[in-house]
Amino acid sequence: MTDREIYYFTGKCLALEEHPEFKDQVIACVKSEMIDWHQFVSLCSDHLVLPAIYLKFRAYDILDHLPEDLSSHLQEVYALNVSRNTQILKQLHEIISVLNPHKIYPVFLKGSANLLDGLYADIGERILGDIDFLVSDDEYLKSARLMKDAGYAEAYDTPDYKDIKTFKHYPRLYHPGYGATIEIHRIPVDEEFTGWFNNELIELEKQSVEDLPGSYVPSAKHKLIHNFIHGQLSNQGHLFGRLSLRGAYDLYLLSKKFPLERALTEIKPRQKAIAYFALVRRVFGLDLAFFPKRNRAYRVLYTKHALNLSSVLFYNAHRSTLFLGERIFKGYLGQIFQAFYSEEKRTYLNRRIFNRKWYGDHLRLYLKFFAKNK
């Protein structure tokens, strides 16, 4: 199978309950040795969906048809994730015990919110990265101080040319006794999107967590919107033609809680959201049952996504061109232009261009980016 075929094969595996007849196709592929299982595992690892794949294969009695070492590997990864997520749940209780006495009641976001909210059928289904939670602007720095007093420390030094008070979230904090780092948000998304998705909006529909009193999660609708913003806008999935299978799987599960079309009413870049929802539908083999719309933005996104999967040359050239264009025109030149009429932007630039560490950090950024080329 090609990279593209493996990718779409994985998508259909993640949605096996929607088309159980696909089980026979999976087994037939195993028997015919059509699948390069190293390639499959590598893709699933990159997209952080191995535990979810294990659970799908287990639910549909596919594990016994797999090579024994593959079945054992999937089970081992799943078991490790169960253990890790069990520790994360304990960590969430610890966070609440630190913040609640000071009348701070966080709203957990993204993966940890879905875990607390029972979105997943199994505690080990989702690989979690950071623990993200939202507090008010007034509670932002205080929450960080309280977590530091409880034994957390910054995972990396913050450059002195940056102002923590203006960050979307506080620099990552880690605790030697826990496996997950935490990110304390003062706003849920990048500043440019807070005009239509912000703390006040989440506050209106936030839901208390039954098993963790003193904490909240966003409504299913707001989780859907946040999923789109995080993957397609903040992480520039729409621009680069990328689709995270973990993010897509979360969207698929959330769509069972709240209709995608109704979520569109609160999304400002509506056409990009339609494109995202439609591409997830296609990758998961759900046809029109999942989301019945397509548009020009979808055709552009799908074309870029398909070319990324099919051509290493396109992937590297497209990715590099966009990265450099964003940095040069929107980043450097755009900020210099804004500095002519904004004192705040002039201060922002002065703190950077006269700081030697800024140049070193940017060099490392470029080296890291181009090292990721296929």
Side-chain angles (χ1 to χ4, degrees):
M1 284 186 173
T2 65
D3 288 346
R4 182 177 173 182
E5 288 170 336
I6 285 284
Y7 185 94
Y8 278 80
F9 173 84
T10 304
K12 291 186 76 172
C13 288
L14 287 169
L16 263 167
E17 59 269 32
E18 302 292 341
H19 32 70
E21 73 284 353
F22 185 60
K23 167 187 172 180
D24 295 332
Q25 296 179 41
V26 175
I27 294 172
C29 286
V30 175
K31 290 180 177 179
S32 63
E33 299 183 351
M34 289 177 56
I35 300 175
D36 181 335
W37 291 112
H38 291 290
Q39 183 184 14
F40 175 77
V41 169
S42 177
L43 183 142
C44 292
S45 296
D46 289 345
H47 286 264
L48 304 175
V49 294
L50 272 179
I53 288 291
Y54 168 78
L55 288 169
K56 299 297 179 184
F57 285 178
R58 188 179 72 177
Y60 287 89
D61 300 318
I62 295 173
L63 288 174
D64 289 341
H65 299 275
L66 300 178
E68 186 175 348
D69 58 342
L70 172 61
S71 182
S72 297
H73 178 68
L74 292 177
Q75 197 280 331
E76 182 180 353
V77 171
Y78 163 75
L80 287 171
N81 200 47
V82 168
S83 176
R84 185 172 189 272
N85 285 355
T86 300
Q87 289 300 311
I88 286 176
L89 286 175
K90 292 179 181 178
Q91 191 174 355
L92 296 175
H93 281 81
E94 175 67 21
I95 290 168
I96 290 302
S97 72
V98 171
L99 298 179
N100 278 183
H102 298 272
K103 298 183 179 180
I104 299 174
Y105 306 100
V107 180
F108 288 101
L109 304 171
K110 297 190 286 189
S112 53
N114 292 335
L115 187 65
L116 286 170
D117 207 23
L119 182 67
Y120 309 114
D122 186 288
I123 189 176
E125 188 168 11
R126 169 64 141 79
I127 293 178
L128 272 68
D130 304 317
I131 295 172
D132 297 82
F133 63 84
L134 177 67
V135 295
S136 71
D137 214 336
D138 293 340
E139 298 166 338
Y140 169 59
L141 295 178
K142 181 179 179 180
S143 297
R145 186 172 65 253
L146 289 169
M147 298 313 301
K148 287 181 178 181
D149 290 344
Y152 283 81
E154 291 184 23
Y156 51 86
D157 293 331
T158 302
D160 55 10
Y161 57 79
K162 293 186 176 181
D163 184 0
I164 289 176
K165 296 192 296 293
T166 65
F167 285 9
K168 176 177 73 173
H169 60 75
Y170 200 84
R172 283 194 187 97
L173 298 173
Y174 77 95
H175 191 292
Y178 293 108
T181 55
I182 65 173
E183 291 186 350
I184 303 169
H185 286 247
R186 68 176 185 89
I187 50 177
V189 293
D190 294 338
E191 196 85 47
E192 61 185 297
F193 310 122
T194 55
W196 56 276
F197 190 75
N198 48 49
N199 299 44
E200 291 74 19
L201 193 68
I202 290 174
E203 182 74 18
L204 289 174
E205 296 184 18
K206 69 181 183 183
Q207 300 172 353
S208 60
V209 180
E210 184 177 346
D211 294 333
L212 190 57
S215 70
Y216 296 87
V217 296
S219 66
K221 176 177 66 177
H222 290 154
K223 287 184 193 174
L224 276 170
I225 297 171
H226 196 187
N227 177 285
F228 161 67
I229 294 173
H230 179 71
Q232 292 296 293
L233 303 182
S234 295
N235 288 345
Q236 299 183 303
H238 188 85
L239 178 66
F240 285 89
R242 293 186 301 229
L243 183 70
S244 157
L245 286 175
R246 183 179 68 165
Y249 185 61
D250 280 352
L251 179 77
Y252 162 64
L253 295 179
L254 287 166
S255 72
K256 297 175 180 292
K257 304 286 186 180
F258 193 88
L260 294 176
E261 288 213 63
R262 286 176 58 193
L264 284 172
T265 60
E266 291 189 17
I267 297 176
K268 190 171 182 179
R270 178 185 173 93
Q271 298 308 310
K272 289 182 180 179
I274 289 173
Y276 173 53
F277 297 162
L279 181 58
V280 173
R281 177 202 73 203
R282 183 164 189 160
V283 169
F284 282 15
L286 299 175
D287 299 321
L288 298 178
F290 176 61
F291 187 72
K293 292 186 178 181
R294 291 183 182 179
N295 58 8
R296 183 180 298 176
Y298 163 76
R299 290 192 290 274
V300 171
L301 177 61
Y302 172 71
T303 299
K304 289 189 288 189
H305 183 256
L307 286 170
N308 280 333
L309 291 173
S310 303
S311 170
V312 173
L313 177 62
F314 176 86
Y315 172 84
N316 288 332
H318 180 249
R319 179 173 175 268
S320 300
T321 301
L322 288 176
F323 176 77
L324 291 173
E326 285 275 297
R327 303 302 302 180
I328 294 171
F329 293 103
K330 185 177 179 180
Y332 306 136
L333 297 181
Q335 290 175 13
I336 290 172
F337 177 76
Q338 292 174 44
F340 283 107
Y341 58 85
S342 169
E343 183 177 351
E344 180 182 352
K345 186 58 67 174
R346 286 194 294 274
T347 302
Y348 172 91
L349 284 177
N350 283 334
R351 292 178 64 178
R352 285 156 175 75
I353 62 177
F354 295 111
N355 190 305
R356 293 175 61 183
K357 193 174 188 304
W358 181 84
Y359 294 94
D361 288 344
H362 268 238
L363 176 60
R364 283 186 286 274
L365 171 69
Y366 284 99
L367 292 175
K368 181 179 179 181
F369 177 86
F370 287 106
K372 288 183 179 179
N373 277 356
K374 286 184 179 179

